[in-house]
Amino acid sequence: MAFPLHYGSCPVVKNILLLDSEGKRVAIKYYCDDWPTNSAKHAFEKAIFTKTQKTNARTEAEIAMFDNNIVVYKFVQDLHFFVTRGDDESELILATVLQGFFDAVTLLLRSNVEQREALENLDLVLLCLDEIVDGGMILETDGSVIGGKVASHNMDDGSPISEQTISQALATAREHFTRSLLR
């Protein structure tokens, strides 16, 4: 089932991608059926990475058209941030989503925005995506608000597993498993 282009008058995004310096996945979320299979998603990621890797998107976000989609992207260290939407959406909205994601990740990784740190804190990065977009609809774009919500989720790790997000529950289970091995 394809998502509508808009929920009423709310703008939506098709995906948010965080790729490494070789174009491989670090954290991704797709919100539409434009890429129905995993191989189609991988092909899109590879194509968009190849198209953008020679640009200089390190200081400010850049915009590209790709297969009737607007892609706003930014590179920091060995991480490549992308937000995609159809060609009928405002680039400014996508740039705001991208900047909010980048700011939240920067805040949560304590300004150490690099692949190793992102992978070590993948649960926080994925929670950022959940706080920014739900089902394609943009919920929040302020990086400090997103980071604050994610940090407060992370501090609630003592809550019962039934009240935790999947990534929090996995982190809690991983901690308990590690402790049991060390005994």
Side-chain angles (χ1 to χ4, degrees):
M1 177 176 152
F3 289 102
L5 294 178
H6 289 278
Y7 291 104
S9 63
C10 294
V12 295
V13 298
K14 290 185 174 185
N15 62 42
I16 300 178
L17 310 172
L18 181 59
L19 305 177
D20 68 12
S21 59
E22 296 175 0
K24 293 187 172 50
R25 294 177 170 181
V26 175
I28 62 162
K29 288 274 185 151
Y30 282 84
Y31 306 103
C32 72
D33 292 337
D34 286 8
W35 304 275
T37 65
N38 211 22
S39 60
K41 291 174 183 172
H42 278 289
F44 174 76
E45 293 159 19
K46 181 178 178 165
I48 201 67
F49 177 79
T50 302
K51 178 175 178 149
T52 60
Q53 74 179 6
K54 292 185 173 137
T55 62
N56 186 19
R58 298 213 176 265
T59 54
E60 292 186 27
E62 297 283 330
I63 300 168
M65 284 295 294
F66 186 77
D67 289 341
N68 296 320
N69 292 297
I70 298 172
V71 180
V72 180
Y73 58 97
K74 181 174 186 168
F75 308 152
V76 178
Q77 303 288 351
D78 54 356
L79 292 174
H80 297 218
F81 295 75
F82 299 89
V83 178
T84 306
R85 178 61 194 123
D87 61 4
D88 60 335
E89 198 63 71
S90 167
E91 298 90 0
L92 293 176
I93 292 171
L94 293 180
T96 303
V97 171
L98 178 75
Q99 192 62 47
F101 179 41
F102 172 75
D103 290 346
V105 168
T106 300
L107 181 69
L108 291 165
L109 298 183
R110 294 174 203 82
S111 299
N112 192 14
V113 183
E114 61 182 29
Q115 179 183 356
R116 183 186 54 78
E117 195 71 23
L119 290 171
E120 288 176 4
N121 295 284
L122 189 57
D123 56 336
L124 299 178
V125 174
L126 292 171
L127 281 171
C128 281
L129 294 174
D130 291 342
E131 291 294 336
I132 296 168
V133 175
D134 184 21
M137 187 168 60
I138 300 166
L139 302 175
E140 182 62 64
T141 59
D142 184 324
S144 59
V145 171
I146 298 162
K149 287 180 179 180
V150 169
S152 71
H153 283 303
N154 207 32
M155 289 190 293
D156 292 340
D157 280 344
S159 61
I161 288 189
S162 62
E163 296 177 13
Q164 295 180 4
T165 64
I166 291 174
S167 61
Q168 287 173 317
L170 288 173
T172 302
R174 184 175 57 231
E175 286 176 29
H176 289 293
F177 180 71
T178 303
R179 285 187 199 138
S180 70
L181 289 176
L182 295 175
R183 290 183 195 173

